[in-house]
Amino acid sequence: VAMAATRNVMRAVRVFEFGGPEVLKLQSDVLVPVPRENQVLIKVHACGVNPVETYIRSGTYARKPSLPYTPGSDVAGVIESVGEHVTAFKKGDRVFTLETVSGGYSEYAVAAVNRVFPLPDKLDFRQGAAIGVPYFTAYRALFQKGCAKAGESVLVHGASGGVGLAACQIARACGLKVLGTAGTEEGMNMILRNGAHQAFNHRDPNYTERIKACTGPGGVDIIIEMLSNVNLDADLQLLSRAGRVMVVGCRGRIEINPRDTMSKESSIIGVSLFLATEEERRECATAVLDGIEAGWLKPVVGLEYPLEKVAKAHEDIICSSGARGKMVLLL
């Protein structure tokens, strides 16, 4: 055990070229990174897998890391060591992150101290790895960009994945009427258990009519949209006057009629957690930590993979039918 603590190499996933899931290479001789000032080193127990990581890996995303790199931002684990000037954490503390400096698909990861948060004992590491990007993104989409208010209605389009379930829990806790869509019976039951008042199957050809019947002539105030390249045109028909579609996810192009926005003065608003200011991130963190303490923020963990199966994880998060919670890698 003493040796393990002092060893200086680790297993980590490295990407040397952009491409398909096969470019994710697990290596066992990667140097353990050293935390600099205002950084911490975390022994990773679990790391979340986010769809955006597959876009970055493929090289089609606006942000391209310099090669080689290790993907992964949402880790949960235990502080191994701290850099200079770090007073908020000490060795042995349970934490989760929103972002890492060195990459999360690895046995150890360095993160800036202002992207690291305490992980309460009531949540396990798998749940800890399901908090960062999904909950911060959901909060940003609903409140910082969507200006949601208690009493408004929100449709979470693709509600059974990590961000979708986070949006359902947060919106319900904050007094919104929550509608959600999923592609399977299991997914629909899951969103009903996690804050949605009503669930719709988006594989049902008439599901948008059912949503309209549910919202009445007024329409829905906010749509949190995970697959805008498929749904945006239909979303514009579902909105209320001054309603807004929050574009959280997109996998391609779509044709819409801008006149649909004029008839209701509706808005299409892009959401990127990457563009949040330090102050906005702190606001997200406060809301998230309060939610954990209050007991309504309960991350739902979906498929779990060992680090060796990382390529399969990247394939499944894009191709599998019907998300059920947040996908995680276990270390």
Side-chain angles (χ1 to χ4, degrees):
V1 175
M3 268 179 65
T6 56
R7 67 185 181 153
N8 57 357
V9 295
M10 62 175 182
R11 293 188 312 143
V13 173
R14 304 291 282 160
V15 174
F16 294 92
E17 58 179 328
F18 296 112
E22 70 283 352
V23 303
L24 298 161
K25 305 288 187 201
L26 179 57
Q27 303 201 298
S28 52
D29 57 352
V30 179
L31 285 176
V32 174
V34 176
R36 303 187 174 182
E37 63 176 336
N38 298 315
Q39 292 181 341
V40 297
L41 178 67
I42 299 163
K43 177 157 187 11
V44 179
H45 286 254
C47 180
V49 180
N50 294 294
V52 69
E53 288 147 23
T54 70
Y55 311 150
I56 294 171
R57 180 215 71 227
S58 70
T60 59
Y61 198 63
R63 287 195 339 267
K64 281 195 185 63
S66 45
L67 297 165
Y69 77 99
T70 295
S73 56
D74 293 340
V75 311
V78 175
I79 298 281
E80 180 74 17
S81 62
V82 301
E84 275 186 278
H85 310 312
V86 173
T87 53
F89 299 103
K90 62 185 185 312
K91 183 175 164 66
D93 286 350
R94 287 163 46 94
V95 293
F96 70 92
T97 68
L98 178 63
E99 214 177 286
T100 66
V101 175
S102 60
Y105 296 7
S106 58
E107 291 179 317
Y108 293 89
V110 161
V113 72
N114 62 356
R115 302 285 193 281
V116 178
F117 308 96
L119 180 64
D121 287 335
K122 63 168 87 167
L123 299 182
D124 63 29
F125 291 119
R126 292 153 51 250
Q127 291 174 302
I131 301 171
V133 168
Y135 281 88
F136 282 59
T137 299
Y139 183 86
R140 182 169 180 76
L142 282 162
F143 298 105
Q144 292 178 340
K145 294 291 162 191
C147 305
K149 293 181 182 60
E152 285 191 312
S153 58
V154 60
L155 168 64
V156 184
H157 220 156
S160 61
V163 178
L165 288 165
C168 288
Q169 291 178 1
I170 295 171
R172 180 68 180 250
C174 295
L176 282 92
K177 181 183 179 183
V178 185
L179 313 176
T181 75
T184 63
E185 197 66 34
E186 191 186 347
M188 288 166 68
N189 289 331
M190 183 175 276
I191 63 187
L192 289 169
R193 286 197 303 273
N194 283 281
H197 291 88
Q198 281 186 276
F200 303 86
N201 189 330
H202 53 60
R203 293 178 201 277
D204 167 0
N206 300 321
Y207 85 99
T208 53
E209 296 310 313
R210 293 187 177 175
I211 292 172
K212 283 179 186 165
C214 176
T215 59
V220 66
D221 298 306
I222 303 169
I223 298 176
I224 307 291
E225 183 52 70
M226 311 304 164
L227 199 60
S228 45
N229 54 299
V230 172
N231 299 323
L232 188 57
D233 187 47
D235 287 343
L236 295 176
Q237 324 298 321
L238 293 171
L239 285 177
S240 64
R241 186 166 168 188
R244 46 263 186 225
V245 180
M246 313 309 302
V247 177
V248 172
C250 182
R251 295 181 186 175
R253 303 175 71 84
I254 186 173
E255 189 172 307
I256 62 165
N257 183 349
R259 183 170 284 143
D260 292 336
T261 64
M262 294 159 63
S263 57
K264 296 172 181 170
E265 293 196 324
S266 57
S267 317
I268 301 166
I269 302 169
V271 179
S272 170
L273 185 57
F274 185 69
L275 296 176
T277 63
E278 193 57 48
E279 193 181 351
E280 287 172 329
R281 265 193 302 268
R282 273 202 299 271
E283 183 195 334
C284 290
T286 303
V288 163
L289 293 168
D290 284 354
I292 295 172
E293 197 173 330
W296 56 258
L297 194 156
K298 289 201 183 84
V300 179
V301 177
L303 296 168
E304 302 172 7
Y305 299 78
L307 210 48
E308 298 76 35
K309 296 268 166 67
V310 63
K312 179 90 172 91
H314 266 225
E315 202 175 302
D316 290 351
I317 200 167
I318 295 302
C319 302
S320 75
S321 59
R324 293 177 299 282
K326 172 73 185 261
M327 183 182 283
V328 297
L329 298 171
L330 298 180
L331 286 99

